Every structure is written in structure tokens, then in C-alpha cells.
Amino acid sequence: MERTFLMIKPDGVQRNLIGPIVARLENKGFKIVGAKLMQVSEDLAKTHYGEHADKPFFGELVDFITSGPVFAMVLEGDNIIKTARLVVGATNPQEAAPGTIRGDFGLTVGKNIIHGSDSLESADREINLFFEESELVDYSLIN
Ligand code: CMP
């Protein structure tokens, strides 16, 4: 079954948006198989965002993501990477549609509330970076 990685960033945690965001994910019917509040280390931040290492905003991105706790999650389901990204919305909250998490809660691309994996490869990589397999729960949703 396909899995994706979502992370409520320090701005979302500071603004007490864990509950409202998780409620949206649950209301949609998504299955959460792992979740934790954690502090991202500088090493983890640099690895996670490695593909942006030569971008001008890389330092700012690493400083921001390590500035306070994040709420990391793993979701599981058919086509979950794409459907979760639809609920998350476009990277730049100024372009994200109303009704999406970034469209409703975010205002700037630097502080865009939440991260979501963009491909099977990045989902695998990001889940393995943030979670041990033993932290993920195997269960069935009763619908
Ligand atoms: P995310 O989905 O976490 O993946 C990479 C992040 O880089 C992205 O969300 C944005 O928060 C951030 N980002 C992208 N473009 C910029 C930018 N121009 N300035 C600052 N941060 C950016």
C-alpha cells in the first residue's frame, strides 16, 4: 500500500494548527499510520531538504525547520501521495486554492505550514529519514 510523509512545520505547530490540520486529514478519510511531535536537528533538516542545497533560500529553510517542533506523520492509502498533495495545496500559499491547507492557513512560501512528499521516491526517503518501521502501526480502518 502506498505511503506518504506529511510534516506540520514549526509555524503550523506554533499557531496551534495541529488539531485543525489533523481534523482535515481525518475528515477526508485518510489513514494515519504514524505521528509524532519532534525537534528536527540541523543534520536531519539538511538531509531532508538536500535537493534544495544550492538554492538561495536553503539556509533560511534549514533555520526555519529547526526553529521549533514539527508534527511528522505517515499516511497510507491508494494514491495517497497525490491525494494528500491536493489537500495540502500548492507550495506557495499565495497560489494555493482556498479549501486547501496552505490556501486556508498560509501566506508566504517560506512559512507554508506543512510539507508533503511529492513522489514515491521522496515519500520512501522521507519516511525512512523521520520514522523507524517500528513506529508505524499496521491496522485496518473500519469504514
Ligand atoms: P516544502 O514542500 O517543505 O519543500 C521545500 C520548501 O522550500 C517549500 O516547501 C518551501 O517552504 C520552501 N521554499 C520554496 N521556495 C522558497 C523561497 N523562494 N523562499 C523560501 N522558502 C522557499
Side-chain angles (χ1 to χ4, degrees):
M1 184 57 78
E2 189 171 298
R3 287 175 172 171
T4 195
F5 173 71
L6 294 186
M7 172 173 63
I8 302 176
K9 300 184 183 185
D11 53 337
V13 174
Q14 291 288 333
R15 289 176 51 199
N16 296 319
L17 291 174
I18 295 175
I21 291 172
V22 170
R24 285 176 179 227
L25 303 175
E26 291 184 316
N27 288 341
K28 178 73 177 169
F30 290 153
K31 179 181 172 190
I32 299 171
V33 296
K36 61 183 173 186
L37 186 73
M38 61 180 282
Q39 174 66 45
V40 177
S41 68
E42 193 177 325
D43 275 358
L44 177 57
K46 287 181 171 166
T47 307
H48 172 65
Y49 282 128
E51 67 180 287
H52 300 295
D54 46 12
K55 306 264 174 65
F57 57 81
F58 184 64
E60 192 185 313
L61 185 57
V62 170
D63 285 349
F64 170 58
I65 212 70
T66 58
S67 68
V70 301
F71 191 74
M73 290 170 277
V74 177
L75 272 52
E76 187 179 274
D78 190 30
N79 210 18
I80 187 67
I81 297 171
K82 187 175 173 204
T83 48
R85 280 175 71 81
L86 286 175
V87 170
V88 163
T91 302
N92 185 346
Q94 294 181 13
E95 288 159 13
T100 65
I101 293 169
R102 287 169 172 159
D104 288 351
F105 296 131
L107 203 53
T108 63
V109 71
K111 292 185 175 170
N112 63 352
I113 309 286
I114 187 167
H115 168 84
S117 307
D118 62 5
S119 65
L120 265 178
E121 298 69 43
S122 55
D124 273 356
R125 195 177 75 86
E126 291 167 358
I127 290 167
N128 286 322
L129 272 176
F130 283 81
F131 285 89
E132 302 287 337
E133 188 61 36
S134 61
E135 294 177 290
L136 304 179
V137 182
D138 185 18
Y139 69 106
S140 296
L141 273 188
I142 301 157
N143 289 310

